[in-house]
Amino acid sequence: MEEELISIKNAALSFILEAEDLKSLEETKLQFLGKSGKLTQTIKDITKIPPEKRKEFGMLANEVKQTIEDAIAQRQENLKQKSEKILRQKIDVTNPGIKPPLGHEHLVTQAIEEISGIFEKIGFTRLRYPEVEWDWYAFEALNFPQNHPARDDWETFFIKAEKDAKKGPMVLTPHTSSGQIREIEKNLAKENKDKNLSIRMLNVAKCYRRQSDVSHTPMFHQFETLVIDKDISISHLKGVLDYFAKSYFGKNRKTRIRPYHFQFTEPSFEVDVTCGVCLGRGCRLCKEGWLEMGGAGMVHPNVLRTGGIDPEKYTGFASGWGVERVLMMREGLEIDDLRLLYSNNLDFLEQF
Ligand code: PHE
């Protein structure tokens, strides 16, 4: 019986040493130590030997089992190290790396940054005001009387909230012009009224209107200028808008202003920029050579008065254009549905 145990041990050890991989090592383990393995079976035969010899036999059997287990653990460790080494040899560190995909800012954000930079160069400060705003700032203080039909042009979203006695209901800002009165209030609170009031605001913000079709999204962006100072005239307005158009669209572009109507500016204008394709001569794209950019005008004396500014002493101009609109016009993007901008479609976004 003892001899049998010794020969099992020797056989097991040589199998273990010969095992080339973890799988065959596992097989060897089963072959000797498994339920019907050779060693297990031999140990079961303990009942066949005389009781006085059993103790000795048992001790030897345990020793053999321990030796086999140790050898398996040792070999297992060696095989693991070996396979790791092979793996390491397979990695060629001189191979070019795999570039992780890099995101970038949304093209509207890019446009906002660029527009802000252009205005900041000439002394404007970029600001933001609430996008959930009182009717007072969005309309009333901007010279829109209650129930005035001009309010309908703005397709406003109303917020279900308690009305304020003076400021009326809450709305989602339908234009950035709501920032005008906020800016005036802030400056008057800060400045001594006798000191020279000097506002150069650039308000870039989200606007909301009840509109959704191929050329409108319910949320869009506007950038609004507001300049208030002594002796501000239409020439300043024209100069600033011209500077912007040349900086954003290119040196060879020109602007013109056409009479228009807004409640909060007088006179009011629509601003056009020469078409980038024909530079104003007229072509199939623009027909007459000009592309419409957005509104502008001299701040209405009523707005100044409501804000607490003496219109005899101060004048100002304001303009409000759509970010998405100028972006489309510059890039010549032939997007047949503006809603694509906000659809989170990576195939589209990754092109910019
Ligand atoms: N708020 C106007 C609009 O949304 C644009 C505008 C701004 C016009 C400032 C005049 C002055 O259409």
Side-chain angles (χ1 to χ4, degrees), residues 147-205:
N147 304 322
H148 192 283
R151 283 176 184 249
D152 297 345
D153 298 342
W154 271 261
E155 301 267 11
T156 313
F157 284 109
F158 288 87
I159 300 286
K160 260 195 197 164
E162 215 173 298
K163 281 189 189 177
D164 181 87
K166 184 181 172 224
K167 295 174 180 164
M170 275 201 146
V171 300
L172 291 181
T173 46
H175 54 176
T176 41
S177 300
S178 52
Q180 290 190 19
I181 296 287
R182 289 254 178 211
E183 176 69 7
I184 291 172
E185 275 180 357
K186 192 185 78 189
N187 277 272
L188 286 184
K190 186 172 78 185
E191 302 283 326
N192 171 347
K193 280 194 186 176
D194 297 331
K195 249 171 75 187
N196 198 10
L197 180 72
S198 181
I199 293 175
R200 276 142 185 76
M201 169 192 90
L202 177 71
N203 177 23
V204 191

Side-chain angles (χ1 to χ4, degrees), residues 154 174-177 180 209 222 224 262 264-265 295-297 318-320:
W154 271 261
H175 54 176
T176 41
S177 300
Q180 290 190 19
R209 297 188 194 177
Q222 281 190 343
E224 178 111 2
F262 293 105
F264 39 95
T265 45
S319 69

Side-chain angles (χ1 to χ4, degrees), residues 109 119 125 243 262 330 349:
T109 311
F119 281 103
T125 303
Y243 156 80
F262 293 105
R330 184 177 72 173
L349 292 173

Side-chain angles (χ1 to χ4, degrees), residues 22-44:
L22 291 167
K23 197 173 159 240
S24 52
L25 186 64
E26 191 59 30
E27 276 162 17
T28 303
K29 191 176 168 183
L30 272 179
Q31 195 185 335
F32 289 92
L33 305 180
K35 253 192 183 160
S36 44
K38 275 188 191 144
L39 182 64
T40 321
Q41 290 305 322
T42 312
I43 291 174
K44 273 185 188 158

Side-chain angles (χ1 to χ4, degrees), residues 84-294:
E84 267 167 22
K85 208 166 148 198
I86 291 171
L87 206 68
R88 250 182 273 132
Q89 278 166 355
K90 276 188 192 151
I91 297 171
D92 180 355
V93 291
T94 61
N95 272 342
I98 301 160
K99 271 196 190 149
L102 255 192
H104 63 73
E105 283 175 333
H106 190 276
L107 69 163
V108 172
T109 311
Q110 291 175 28
I112 290 174
E113 290 305 317
E114 195 179 339
I115 292 166
S116 305
I118 292 172
F119 281 103
E120 276 159 5
K121 254 192 200 163
I122 55 167
F124 282 77
T125 303
R126 182 177 166 194
L127 297 151
R128 283 180 81 175
Y129 287 109
E131 288 168 5
V132 182
E133 186 55 292
W134 300 105
D135 173 275
W136 168 261
Y137 292 100
F139 293 116
E140 194 77 17
L142 289 175
N143 202 31
F144 287 81
Q146 290 285 337
N147 304 322
H148 192 283
R151 283 176 184 249
D152 297 345
D153 298 342
W154 271 261
E155 301 267 11
T156 313
F157 284 109
F158 288 87
I159 300 286
K160 260 195 197 164
E162 215 173 298
K163 281 189 189 177
D164 181 87
K166 184 181 172 224
K167 295 174 180 164
M170 275 201 146
V171 300
L172 291 181
T173 46
H175 54 176
T176 41
S177 300
S178 52
Q180 290 190 19
I181 296 287
R182 289 254 178 211
E183 176 69 7
I184 291 172
E185 275 180 357
K186 192 185 78 189
N187 277 272
L188 286 184
K190 186 172 78 185
E191 302 283 326
N192 171 347
K193 280 194 186 176
D194 297 331
K195 249 171 75 187
N196 198 10
L197 180 72
S198 181
I199 293 175
R200 276 142 185 76
M201 169 192 90
L202 177 71
N203 177 23
V204 191
K206 291 189 175 76
C207 300
Y208 305 84
R209 297 188 194 177
R210 286 179 35 194
Q211 50 185 19
S212 179
D213 57 45
V214 291
S215 52
H216 295 94
T217 48
M219 185 284 295
F220 60 103
H221 298 78
Q222 281 190 343
F223 57 105
E224 178 111 2
T225 65
L226 175 70
V227 170
I228 297 179
D229 214 319
K230 285 183 176 138
D231 304 320
I232 294 294
S233 70
I234 297 176
S235 326
H236 295 113
L237 166 66
K238 183 79 168 66
V240 166
L241 296 181
D242 212 53
Y243 156 80
F244 171 75
K246 285 189 162 55
S247 309
Y248 189 74
F249 295 106
K251 282 202 173 65
N252 51 0
R253 309 290 279 273
K254 292 193 180 97
T255 55
R256 73 173 181 193
I257 50 178
R258 276 182 292 114
Y260 200 71
H261 171 78
F262 293 105
Q263 283 294 116
F264 39 95
T265 45
E266 183 56 40
S268 301
F269 311 105
E270 276 269 311
V271 185
D272 297 337
V273 178
T274 45
C275 163
V277 176
C278 65
L279 295 178
R281 284 185 296 275
C283 68
R284 267 170 50 211
L285 176 80
C286 62
K287 310 236 165 39
E288 290 180 352
W290 297 89
L291 303 168
E292 195 184 300
M293 296 297 0

